[in-house]
Amino acid sequence: MSKRAGHMNLLAMINNGGHHLAAWQHPKGQAGAGLNIQNYTHIAQVAEKGLLDAVFIADVVALWGQDLEALTRTSRGEHYEPLTLLSYLAGATQHIGLIATATTSYNEPYHIARKFASLDHLSGGRAGWNVVTSVVGAEARNFGRDAHYLHNERYERAEEFVDVVRKLWQSWEEGAVIKDTKNSQYFIPEKVKNIHYKGKHFSVEGPLNISRTPQGEPVLVQAGASESGKRLAARIAEVIFSPHDDIKAAKKYYHDIKTTASQFGRTKESIRILPGITPVVGKTRQEARDFF
């Protein structure tokens, strides 16, 4: 993502029926969208044509809500697995970034490192990982737990998880793959190294079974709001989503993130903080109002 002074970064968050819970019912909206891949493709291509930086897919690994009766009035009862969806969109676009959500609570570092490295290769260096720790209770029960990890443990695990993933991404050095047919050598073994990682939550030998990605590392994205979440975001994220709609709260959040980032030896310019908005678009102001 561009970080030029004065340059605004814009991302599009894609939901299968629109962001508003009832958007799928709007007569001019996406009533028939659902899992229609052409709808996702159209949005991604329009966003790319409009020079947006990336499309973003949110996710939970469970039904997005507990009340089935309430869910029947929304389009949130079903949604694509993000990496699968973005792998498809990689082939339907050329330049726009592709950001997928994946949880550190119910995955393993090797899986995540491999999948996002694959997406980065497939897309020519356009992959981003939105790092989450999971919030929906049903996610825990879908993975053999009665409840989530405790809040602080979730974020402690997440920090270690990201560290391991990044070590795996770096386990293939630049230029390791040479494809030397004359000497029958595909890669240089000295440039591929085990990571020998042993920590509190993970033990991973490595190396990764796919080479260094076009970006070196996919972009890391986060949306931490709690103290633990803000610490994680300040430590690892290049892009942070901010949910604040109050300017005073937004300024405090911005200050907290940038200050904490400097404590980790990061420059303030290394992080882009992007507030969320829900635009209503029309050819004129009145048309937009009428649509809304």
Side-chain angles (χ1 to χ4, degrees):
M1 292 180 62
S2 173
K3 296 178 181 177
R4 299 194 308 274
H7 179 81
M8 179 181 289
N9 293 113
L10 294 172
L11 279 62
M13 181 175 177
I14 307 178
N15 290 313
N16 69 341
H19 187 68
H20 190 282
L21 289 176
W24 69 277
Q25 298 184 66
H26 198 287
K28 294 183 180 180
Q30 305 178 57
L35 298 184
N36 184 341
I37 191 61
Q38 297 309 317
N39 184 64
Y40 285 93
T41 303
H42 173 71
I43 293 173
Q45 290 175 340
V46 168
E48 181 171 72
K49 185 177 180 181
L51 303 182
L52 272 68
D53 292 278
V55 293
F56 167 81
I57 307 296
D59 190 48
V60 297
V61 284
L63 272 178
W64 214 318
Q66 295 298 301
D67 188 332
L68 285 179
E69 178 59 30
L71 274 176
T72 65
R73 295 173 176 79
T74 79
S75 59
R76 301 293 172 82
E78 60 173 4
H79 43 94
Y80 279 115
E81 188 283 312
L83 280 156
T84 307
L85 173 60
L86 291 182
S87 294
Y88 182 93
L89 294 181
T93 56
Q94 292 183 311
H95 306 292
I96 198 163
L98 306 165
I99 300 173
T101 298
T103 175
T104 58
S105 295
Y106 306 111
N107 275 301
E108 290 292 327
Y110 200 96
H111 282 142
I112 291 299
R114 185 187 188 199
K115 289 175 182 179
F116 278 94
S118 295
L119 180 61
D120 208 51
H121 277 288
L122 285 169
S123 63
R126 295 185 280 142
W129 172 26
N130 179 40
V131 182
V132 300
T133 66
S134 291
V135 295
V136 177
E139 292 180 272
R141 295 188 290 276
N142 282 342
F143 291 88
R145 295 181 60 88
D146 294 328
H148 284 315
Y149 297 97
L150 295 176
H151 183 82
N152 287 342
E153 185 180 7
R154 278 194 288 129
Y155 280 96
E156 178 187 78
R157 175 186 167 95
E159 289 199 30
E160 186 178 333
F161 193 113
V162 173
D163 289 345
V164 178
V165 167
R166 296 186 71 182
K167 288 179 184 295
L168 287 167
W169 283 337
Q170 297 300 323
S171 63
W172 288 66
E173 295 181 14
E174 188 72 36
V177 176
I178 55 174
K179 299 180 183 177
D180 182 357
T181 56
K182 182 178 179 179
N183 294 299
S184 191
Q185 186 178 41
Y186 191 90
F187 65 88
I188 301 171
E190 293 79 16
K191 289 181 175 286
V192 181
K193 296 180 173 62
N194 293 342
I195 66 171
H196 301 299
Y197 182 87
K198 290 189 181 296
K200 180 176 179 180
H201 298 279
F202 304 105
S203 177
V204 181
E205 180 70 7
L208 200 59
N209 60 353
I210 186 168
S211 59
R212 181 180 290 255
T213 77
Q215 293 186 91
E217 294 184 4
V219 174
L220 293 176
V221 183
Q222 227 276 322
S226 67
E227 290 306 311
S228 298
K230 287 190 291 186
R231 171 190 159 85
L232 174 64
R235 181 171 178 262
I236 62 101
E238 298 165 83
V239 179
I240 298 174
F241 293 134
S242 165
H244 304 95
D245 53 12
D246 174 78
I247 189 66
K248 185 177 180 180
K251 285 182 175 180
K252 183 180 185 307
Y253 181 84
Y254 183 96
H255 177 268
D256 289 349
I257 289 290
K258 299 286 185 168
T259 301
T260 306
S262 66
Q263 295 170 1
F264 288 111
R266 304 183 66 193
T267 64
K268 294 181 179 180
E269 295 75 23
S270 65
I271 302 174
R272 303 291 282 185
I273 299 178
L274 308 183
I277 61 171
T278 304
V280 179
V281 180
K283 294 179 181 178
T284 65
R285 185 181 296 272
Q286 188 59 50
E287 182 177 293
R289 287 174 173 168
D290 292 343
F291 183 83
F292 188 72

